[in-house]
């Protein structure tokens, strides 16, 4: 019976104890579950939010890299600027996808990101890629047009606004989560207190239950337990039991339980108090100082240090943040550790707690006002967040650190690592907010300045409006004057058009009769040997008079073209060394007949080939030499070529930057020109005076045309003369060396031929017609409305064995060709009544059987582009009137032979 009773009491006591342990374990489990849940929330805030902020900044940086790379490449053309652009273009979308996935729980933020992606892709497609492609292809005009509008800047401004909006939203969400964590932490503390009260209540209930089952000798135990479970919560009293039975075992067990509960309660209270004390800090230094002081007091450690892993002044490592009871020597000696350096660095490297016992006496010293001593034990432990060490704490003690203290330290460091990371993140957010405030203040100041400037601009605008009204009145007056000038300009243009048409018609009407010079050339050949030498001289004189008349016509046309501004120059390679030879060939015999010497000099080092209009240059030199020959009766005529001197260039050719400035001088020992007459010699139809004109003849056009042609060649003519001592005309022109014109194309040879009137050919007295059998027996159709031209051409060609057919206009020509299929070549005049030569040649080329028939345009229209018009109409070749018989025969041989 006693055994049963004893067992029953022990069973009840054990049951009550087990019940209390179960409740305590449940409380601990519940608290641990809340801590784990809180830890997960903190992990989410720290990991998720920081990653979102980092990825946002990375996307923004990549966009800046693309914009900077694009602009750098456009400005410099250096491919190195494309490296950041291409790298950012390749990586931004990956960071964007990651960021998009991180905000999957926030549809509004995802929508902002999708809009941001659309704008970025538009910038790349419309601003980034096209501009770079234009730069690579050298399309500078397109790039300039693009940057005048610069649509890419609008996209970039919009992108920055969208990123700022996204970032500010995420920052607000982070602050909301942190506030929620604080609230959860408070709730956890309240739950902890409630659980402790619950455990106490269970203990009380168990004691009451057991006390009811125990009588007699255990009353004292019941009273003691009731006292311990009373509202004052004093756990320092212990149960005194003198019996040696289960009651004593119960009392002893109760006392041990009280010891454990008291210790655990005190430790948990201290942990909770320390954790609570660490809340609300906004600075990691103050947070570390509070932690080391409270932890040193908790573990009775006379020495403690906190090292934080971060970068200070560009040096990454474990930097001392706070210390407890440290002397100056130790502080200076251990200011910073790198990971793996010393025990502190090794603790961070391995991320585990290190304990060292039995330290030497001189390892570390703790001092007070009464003395100093050396702790013999140190404990070094890491504080981590998400597996990464953020700080290391070191404590020194005179007594070994117990397992309970180490466990409490681990729990404290877990919370400390979380709070330290949270405070660091909060400090970063505050720093960003502070920068935003500073920028906002600066924007406000700028806004004030802008408002002041706007007010000033309003005043200025009012003044400008008044000026605008005045200028508007003047504008109306200028418009009226402009209309009057425009009307006068139209009248001048109409007069110029009439003049051009008149000159073209006059050229045709004057040249057409001169075509009869073919007869004089034919007579000069004297094929039948019927003319005497005197008669041949008469024929040559007639031919020379015709050539003189043709030269006069050419001079008048050139002068009119210059005055109308329609004479163009054709720059092409010109052999400068051949110029003296050509001039000597033209004028040498005439000077020799007058017993006047012809000299030529050429400065060494002159370029052999220059870029200029050779035809106009030769025309100027011919005119100058012609005057020198005309007015020189004894002595010499000298042609010299040299480089222009620097002072001559500056004075006579200012503002021109060419490779070579030439000076071509024609000096004679003739009659000279008085100084008061020297300006008049360059006027059209003027010579030194009327007597000179009568004595020497000429029209007075040569020097006038030469001066105007020199101006077209970017040059001028300078005259130095003394009456009775001769004259020196110097042509100064700017040109390019052949070496400096590599790649330049010469002007079209056809255009040059069409714009230049043919030089008169001297009739030959030797017999002609020995052209072989190429043209003999061939049938030629002459289409011309002027009987004189038809007669002259017919006589000349029939004398060479050709069969000649004639037609008066284009209609008669086509009808004759329909009935005469054996025509070998057609000589077509252009200006004819009815159907002109252009239309006739076009009709001929429309017929397949006449597609290869040689058509040679023979016309007095010698204005610019006349050759091109004839070729476009279907002509095979072109020859102007008056016709050079030798040139015509050569053309017939070429085309008949080729056909």
């Amino acid at each position: 019976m006693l055994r049963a009773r004893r067992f029953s009491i022990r069973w009840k006591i054990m049951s009550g104890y087990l019940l209390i342990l179960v409740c305590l374990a449940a409380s601990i489990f519940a608290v641990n579950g809340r801590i784990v849940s809180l830890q997960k929330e903190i992990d989410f805030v720290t990991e998720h939010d920081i990653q979102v902020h980092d990825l946002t900044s990375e996307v923004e940086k990549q966009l800046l890299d693309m914009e900077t790379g694009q602009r750098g490449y456009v400005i410099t053309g250096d491919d190195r600027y494309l490296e950041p652009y291409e790298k950012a273009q390749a990586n931004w979308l990956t960071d964007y996808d990651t960021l998009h996935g991180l905000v999957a729980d926030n549809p509004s933020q995802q929508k902002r990101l999708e809009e941001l992606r659309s704008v970025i892709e538009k910038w790349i497609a419309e601003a980034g890629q096209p501009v770079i492609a234009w730069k690579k292809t050298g399309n500078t005009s397109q790039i300039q047009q693009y940057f005048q509008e610069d649509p890419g800047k609008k996209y970039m401004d919009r992108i920055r606004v969208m990123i700022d909006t996204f970032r500010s939203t995420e920052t607000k969400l982070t602050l909301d989560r942190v506030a929620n964590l604080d609230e959860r932490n408070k709730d956890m503390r309240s739950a902890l207190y409630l659980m402790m009260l619950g455990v106490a209540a269970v203990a009380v209930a168990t004691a009451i239950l057991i006390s009811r089952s125990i009588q007699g000798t255990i009353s004292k135990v019941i009273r003691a337990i009731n006292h311990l479970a009373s509202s004052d919560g004093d756990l320092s009293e212990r149960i005194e039991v003198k019996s040696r039975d289960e009651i004593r075992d119960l009392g002893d067990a109760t006392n041990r339980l009280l010891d454990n509960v008291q210790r655990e309660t005190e430790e948990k209270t201290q942990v909770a108090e320390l954790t609570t004390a660490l809340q609300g800090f906004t600075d990691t230094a103050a947070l570390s100082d509070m932690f080391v002081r409270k932890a040193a007091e908790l573990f009775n450690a006379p020495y403690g240090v906190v090292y934080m892993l971060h970068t200070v002044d560009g040096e990454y490592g474990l930097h001392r943040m706070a210390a407890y009871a440290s002397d100056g020597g130790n502080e200076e000696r251990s200011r910073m550790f790198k990971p793996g350096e010393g025990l502190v660095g090794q603790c961070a490297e391995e991320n585990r707690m290190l304990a060292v016992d039995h330290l030497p006496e001189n390892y570390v010293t703790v001092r007070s006002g009464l003395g100093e001593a050396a702790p013999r034990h140190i404990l070094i432990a890491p504080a981590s967040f998400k597996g990464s060490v953020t700080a290391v704490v070191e404590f020194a003690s005179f007594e070994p650190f117990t397992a309970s203290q180490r466990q409490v330290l681990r729990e404290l460091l877990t919370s400390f690592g979380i709070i330290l990371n949270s405070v660091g993140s909060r400090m970063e957010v505050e720093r960003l907010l502070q920068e935003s405030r500073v920028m906002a203040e600066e924007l406000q100041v700028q806004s004030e300045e802008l408002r002041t400037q706007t007010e000033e601009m309003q005043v200025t605008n009012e003044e400008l409006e008044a000026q605008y009204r005045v200028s508007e009145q003047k504008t109306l007056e200028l418009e009226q004057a402009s209309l009057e000038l425009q009307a006068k300009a139209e009248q001048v243009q109409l007069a110029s058009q009439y003049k051009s048409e008149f000159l073209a018609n006059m050229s045709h009407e004057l040249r057409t009769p001169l075509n009869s010079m073919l007869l004089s050339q034919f007579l000069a050949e004297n094929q039948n040997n019927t003319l005497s030498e005197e008669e041949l001289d008469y024929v040559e004189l007639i031919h020379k008079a015709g050539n003189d008349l043709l030269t006069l016509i050419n001079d008048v046309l050139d002068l009119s073209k210059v005055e109308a501004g329609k004479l163009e120059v054709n720059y092409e390679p010109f052999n400068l060394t051949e110029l003296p030879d050509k001039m000597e060939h033209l004028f040498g015999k005439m000077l020799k007949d007058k017993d006047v010497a012809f000299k030529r000099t050429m400065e060494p080092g002159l370029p052999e080939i220059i870029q200029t209009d050779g035809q106009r240059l030769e025309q100027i030199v011919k005119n100058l030499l012609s005057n020198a020959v005309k007015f020189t009766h004894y002595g010499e005529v000298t042609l010299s070529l040299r480089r222009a001197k620097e002072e001559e260039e500056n004075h006579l050719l200012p503002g021109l930057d060419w490779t070579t400035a030439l000076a071509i001088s024609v000096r004679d020992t003739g009659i000279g020109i008085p100084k008061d007459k020297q300006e008049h010699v360059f006027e059209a139809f003027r010579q030194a005076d009327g007597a000179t004109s009568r004595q020497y003849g000429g029209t007075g056009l040569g020097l006038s045309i030469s001066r105007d042609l020199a101006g077209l060649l970017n040059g001028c003519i300078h005259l130095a003369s003394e009456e009775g001592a001769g004259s020196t005309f110097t042509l100064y022109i700017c040109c390019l060396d052949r070496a400096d014109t590599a790649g330049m194309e010469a002007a079209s040879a056809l255009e040059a031929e069409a714009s230049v009137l043919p030089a008169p050919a001297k009739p030959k007295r030797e017999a002609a017609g020995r052209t072989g059998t190429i043209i003999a027996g061939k049938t030629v159709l002459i289409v011309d409305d002027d009987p004189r031209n038809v007669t002259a051409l017919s006589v000349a060609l029939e004398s060479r064995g050709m069969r000649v057919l004639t037609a008066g206009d284009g209609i008669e020509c086509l009808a004759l060709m329909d009935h005469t299929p054996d025509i070998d070549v057609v000589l077509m005049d252009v200006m004819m009544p009815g159907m002109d030569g252009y239309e006739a040649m076009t009709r001929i080329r429309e017929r397949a059987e006449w597609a290869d028939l040689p058509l040679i345009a023979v016309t007095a229209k010698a204005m610019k582009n006349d050759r091109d018009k004839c070729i476009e109409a279907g002509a095979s070749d072109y020859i102007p009137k008056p016709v050079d018989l030798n040139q015509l025969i050569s053309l017939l041989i070429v085309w008949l032979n080729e056909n």
Side-chain angles (χ1 to χ4, degrees):
M1 185 68 182
L2 182 59
R3 287 180 178 273
R5 185 176 181 181
R6 286 172 62 87
F7 176 78
S8 178
I9 293 173
R10 183 169 55 191
W11 181 83
K12 290 180 180 180
I13 294 173
M14 290 178 64
S15 298
Y17 182 66
L18 289 174
L19 179 60
I20 293 172
L21 290 177
V22 168
C23 292
L24 184 60
S27 300
I28 294 173
F29 180 80
V31 171
N32 185 64
R34 294 294 298 275
I35 292 175
V36 171
S37 176
L38 183 61
Q39 178 65 38
K40 291 181 179 179
E41 291 289 335
I42 294 174
D43 291 345
F44 177 78
V45 171
T46 55
E47 179 180 3
H48 172 271
D49 290 13
I50 290 177
Q51 189 175 6
V52 168
H53 289 300
D54 291 344
L55 287 175
T56 303
S57 299
E58 184 64 24
V59 171
E60 185 177 22
K61 175 181 176 297
Q62 290 168 351
L63 290 175
L64 291 176
D65 288 344
M66 285 193 285
E67 183 183 27
T68 304
Q70 177 228 38
R71 293 183 178 271
Y73 179 69
V74 170
I75 294 173
T76 65
D78 193 343
D79 291 340
R80 293 179 297 174
Y81 285 95
L82 290 180
E83 295 178 3
Y85 175 88
E86 295 173 348
K87 182 177 179 182
Q89 185 183 11
N91 297 333
W92 78 269
L93 190 56
T94 302
D95 293 337
Y96 166 85
D97 292 337
T98 304
L99 182 61
H100 189 271
L102 289 175
V103 296
D105 59 337
N106 193 335
S108 62
Q109 288 291 80
Q110 280 192 325
K111 184 176 180 181
R112 289 189 180 97
L113 286 179
E114 291 167 358
E115 294 175 352
L116 175 62
R117 176 179 179 176
S118 176
V119 177
I120 293 173
E121 291 175 343
K122 287 181 178 179
W123 181 89
I124 294 174
E126 299 178 15
Q129 291 296 108
V131 173
I132 291 175
W134 294 334
K135 183 64 179 178
K136 289 182 177 179
T137 58
N139 196 342
T140 306
S141 60
Q142 191 69 32
I143 294 175
Q144 291 176 347
Q145 181 180 357
Y146 168 83
F147 276 105
Q148 288 177 357
E149 301 177 358
D150 200 5
K153 183 178 184 300
K154 299 178 182 178
Y155 287 131
M156 272 299 174
D157 292 341
R158 184 178 176 189
I159 289 171
R160 291 188 180 95
V161 171
M162 296 175 73
I163 290 178
D164 290 341
T165 303
F166 178 85
R167 184 185 286 114
S168 61
T169 303
E170 285 297 323
T171 301
K172 184 177 181 303
L173 291 175
T174 301
L175 295 175
D176 292 339
R177 293 189 183 105
V178 171
N180 184 46
L181 287 176
D182 291 340
E183 191 67 27
R184 295 276 304 275
N185 190 30
K186 293 178 182 178
D187 294 342
M188 185 185 73
R189 291 199 303 272
S190 300
L192 178 62
Y193 294 143
L194 291 175
M195 290 179 185
M196 291 177 63
L197 292 175
V199 171
V202 171
V204 171
T206 302
I208 294 173
L209 182 61
I210 294 175
S211 66
R212 290 179 179 177
S213 63
I214 301 174
Q215 297 177 354
T217 58
I218 63 173
S219 297
K220 188 175 182 180
V221 175
I222 295 174
R223 288 194 300 271
I225 294 175
N226 288 333
H227 179 70
L228 294 175
S230 62
S231 59
D232 57 9
D234 186 7
L235 299 179
S236 61
E237 296 185 7
R238 295 294 180 263
I239 300 174
E240 296 182 1
V241 181
K242 296 182 179 180
S243 61
R244 297 181 180 274
D245 53 9
E246 293 88 349
I247 300 301
R248 186 185 182 108
D249 296 337
L250 177 60
D252 294 338
T254 302
N255 288 334
R256 288 192 299 273
L257 175 61
L258 291 173
D259 291 339
N260 292 332
V261 171
Q262 182 180 8
R263 183 179 64 256
E264 292 177 0
T265 301
E266 290 176 352
E267 292 175 352
K268 290 184 181 295
T269 300
Q270 291 172 344
V271 170
E273 290 176 352
L274 181 55
T275 304
T276 303
L278 297 178
Q279 301 297 324
F281 282 91
T282 59
D283 182 73
T284 55
L287 175 66
S288 301
D289 184 69
M290 173 61 73
F291 174 80
V292 73
R293 286 193 292 107
K294 292 293 184 180
E297 294 174 0
L298 178 62
F299 301 125
N300 294 322
Y303 177 86
V305 183
V306 175
Y307 299 92
M308 185 174 176
L309 186 62
H310 62 153
T311 301
V312 176
D313 296 332
E315 192 171 11
Y316 179 75
L318 291 159
H319 295 268
R320 176 188 288 240
M321 293 295 293
Y324 178 79
S326 174
D327 62 1
N330 294 332
E331 184 175 358
E332 293 299 328
R333 193 166 52 243
S334 55
R335 177 63 63 180
M336 192 275 290
F337 293 94
K338 294 182 179 179
E341 180 181 358
L343 292 176
V344 175
Q346 192 63 31
C347 176
E349 186 77 15
E350 298 181 4
N351 194 11
R352 68 182 182 91
M353 183 180 293
L354 301 177
V356 180
D357 298 322
H358 309 295
L359 295 174
E361 293 184 357
N362 59 350
Y363 187 79
V364 65
T365 303
V366 177
R367 299 177 181 178
S368 68
L370 298 177
E372 61 182 30
R376 304 303 300 276
H377 307 276
I378 61 172
L379 184 64
I380 307 172
S384 60
F385 175 75
K386 293 170 53 177
S388 299
V389 175
T390 58
V392 172
V393 297
E394 180 180 10
F395 294 102
S397 176
F398 296 108
E399 301 294 335
F401 291 95
T402 64
S404 176
Q405 289 177 326
R406 297 180 184 182
Q407 181 61 32
V408 171
L409 180 60
R410 290 190 181 94
E411 295 179 1
L412 285 174
L413 289 177
T414 299
S415 300
F416 179 64
I418 296 172
I419 297 172
L420 184 63
N421 183 78
S422 177
V423 171
S425 300
R426 187 182 307 164
M427 290 175 63
E428 179 65 18
V429 171
E430 289 179 354
R431 184 185 66 80
L432 295 174
L433 289 176
Q434 183 63 27
E435 291 180 357
S436 299
R437 292 192 191 99
V438 172
M439 293 178 63
E441 293 174 357
E442 293 177 353
L443 288 174
Q444 186 175 2
V445 172
Q446 294 177 359
S447 177
E448 292 294 334
E449 294 176 353
L450 183 60
R451 186 176 63 183
T452 303
Q453 294 176 359
T454 302
E455 293 174 355
E456 295 175 354
M457 290 179 63
Q458 288 177 351
V459 175
T460 305
N461 286 338
E462 293 175 357
E463 297 175 353
L464 290 175
E465 286 178 0
Q467 296 177 2
Y468 175 74
R469 287 191 291 271
V470 175
S471 64
E472 212 172 30
Q473 180 63 30
K474 293 182 178 180
T475 301
L476 293 176
E477 296 175 357
L478 290 174
E479 288 178 353
Q480 183 64 30
S482 177
L483 292 175
E484 295 176 358
L485 289 175
Q486 184 176 359
K488 292 181 180 179
E490 290 176 354
Q491 295 175 1
V492 172
Q493 183 177 3
L494 184 60
S496 177
Q497 180 179 353
Y498 291 157
K499 180 178 180 181
S500 298
E501 293 176 355
F502 170 75
L503 290 173
N505 293 330
M506 286 301 297
S507 172
H508 179 269
E509 296 301 327
L510 292 173
R511 285 171 175 272
T512 299
L514 290 177
N515 204 43
S516 299
M517 290 167 59
L518 280 173
L519 294 176
S520 65
Q521 187 174 359
F522 173 70
L523 291 173
E525 292 176 355
N526 197 15
Q527 294 182 3
N528 299 324
N529 296 319
T530 59
L531 298 179
S532 64
E533 285 296 325
E534 184 177 1
E535 290 173 334
L536 289 175
D537 290 337
Y538 294 156
V539 171
E540 182 176 351
L541 182 61
I542 294 172
H543 191 81
K544 184 177 183 300
N547 285 336
D548 292 340
L549 180 59
L550 180 61
T551 301
L552 175 61
I553 294 171
N554 292 340
D555 289 343
V556 173
L557 289 176
D558 282 345
L559 182 62
S560 64
K561 289 179 184 178
V562 173
E563 290 178 350
K566 295 183 178 181
L567 185 64
E568 299 180 359
V569 294
N570 299 314
Y571 284 92
E572 58 186 357
F574 176 74
N575 193 328
L576 188 62
T577 60
E578 294 179 354
L579 182 62
D581 295 334
K582 291 181 179 179
M583 296 302 107
E584 185 173 5
H585 177 73
L586 291 174
F587 298 100
K589 186 177 184 303
M590 288 186 285
L591 289 170
K592 185 177 180 181
D593 292 341
K594 297 179 69 174
D595 199 19
V596 176
F598 179 76
K599 295 184 178 180
R600 39 189 276 189
T601 62
M602 188 168 183
E603 183 181 84
L606 286 180
E608 180 179 352
I609 304 297
I610 62 174
Q611 194 79 11
T612 188
D613 190 327
Q615 177 192 353
R616 300 305 176 189
L617 177 60
E618 289 183 357
Q619 185 176 353
I620 296 172
V621 178
K622 287 177 183 178
N623 286 339
L624 298 180
L625 283 172
S626 177
N627 284 343
V629 172
K630 183 189 301 182
F631 298 108
T632 303
H633 303 288
Y634 59 87
E636 62 186 23
V637 173
T638 304
L639 173 64
S640 62
L641 288 77
R642 60 179 176 84
R643 290 183 184 271
K645 299 178 181 178
E646 184 176 356
E647 57 271 18
E648 292 175 333
E649 290 187 40
N650 297 333
H651 177 65
L652 299 174
L653 304 172
L656 296 177
D657 185 13
W658 293 70
T659 303
T660 303
L662 290 179
I664 303 176
S665 299
V666 176
R667 183 176 58 84
D668 63 64
T669 58
I671 64 176
I673 304 172
K675 289 187 178 182
D676 59 341
K677 304 294 184 180
Q678 290 181 8
E679 288 296 327
H680 299 313
V681 298
F682 290 102
E683 297 178 7
F685 307 105
R686 290 287 300 272
Q687 290 185 337
D689 56 31
T692 303
S693 178
R694 289 190 296 273
Q695 180 179 358
Y696 295 99
T699 63
L701 293 176
L703 288 177
S704 177
I705 294 173
S706 297
R707 181 190 58 184
D708 294 337
L709 290 178
L712 292 175
L713 295 178
N714 295 304
C716 65
I717 296 178
H718 179 262
L719 168 62
S721 179
E722 183 178 349
E723 187 175 7
S727 304
T728 301
F729 288 86
T730 303
L731 169 64
Y732 295 94
I733 61 169
C734 294
C735 56
L736 297 175
D737 289 355
R738 180 72 176 195
D740 297 315
T741 59
M744 296 180 59
E745 296 183 359
S748 172
L750 294 178
E751 182 177 355
E753 292 176 9
S755 63
V756 178
L757 298 174
K762 182 178 178 180
K764 298 181 181 179
R765 298 190 179 190
E766 66 271 14
R770 292 186 292 272
T771 59
T773 59
I774 296 178
I775 65 174
K778 301 294 184 181
T779 300
V780 56
L781 172 59
I782 301 174
V783 185
D784 199 319
D785 62 322
D786 192 323
R788 295 168 295 182
N789 293 337
V790 174
T791 301
L793 289 173
S794 298
V795 171
L797 296 178
E798 287 176 347
S799 68
R800 283 163 173 75
M802 297 191 72
R803 175 191 175 200
V804 178
L805 303 177
T806 62
D809 56 25
I811 298 175
E812 185 178 350
C813 168
L814 294 175
L816 183 60
M817 291 179 68
D818 284 331
H819 298 88
T820 310
D822 58 344
I823 295 175
D824 297 300
V825 63
V826 177
L827 301 181
M828 180 71 69
D829 187 25
V830 173
M831 296 183 65
M832 296 183 295
M835 182 185 295
D836 61 13
Y838 293 135
E839 184 177 356
M841 288 187 289
T842 302
R843 294 282 187 90
I844 291 172
R845 290 307 185 201
E846 290 175 352
R847 301 276 290 272
E849 63 271 23
W850 298 332
D852 297 327
L853 179 66
L855 297 178
I856 298 177
V858 183
T859 177
K861 290 181 67 65
M863 302 299 286
K864 180 175 173 62
N865 298 328
D866 285 340
R867 178 189 180 93
D868 294 338
K869 292 180 181 179
C870 293
I871 299 300
E872 291 175 1
S876 305
D877 214 325
Y878 167 93
I879 185 170
K881 296 178 182 178
V883 175
D884 184 336
L885 183 58
N886 294 327
Q887 183 181 1
L888 175 61
I889 297 301
S890 298
L891 287 178
L892 291 174
I893 292 173
V894 169
W895 285 104
L896 290 174
N897 185 43
E898 189 172 306
N899 197 46

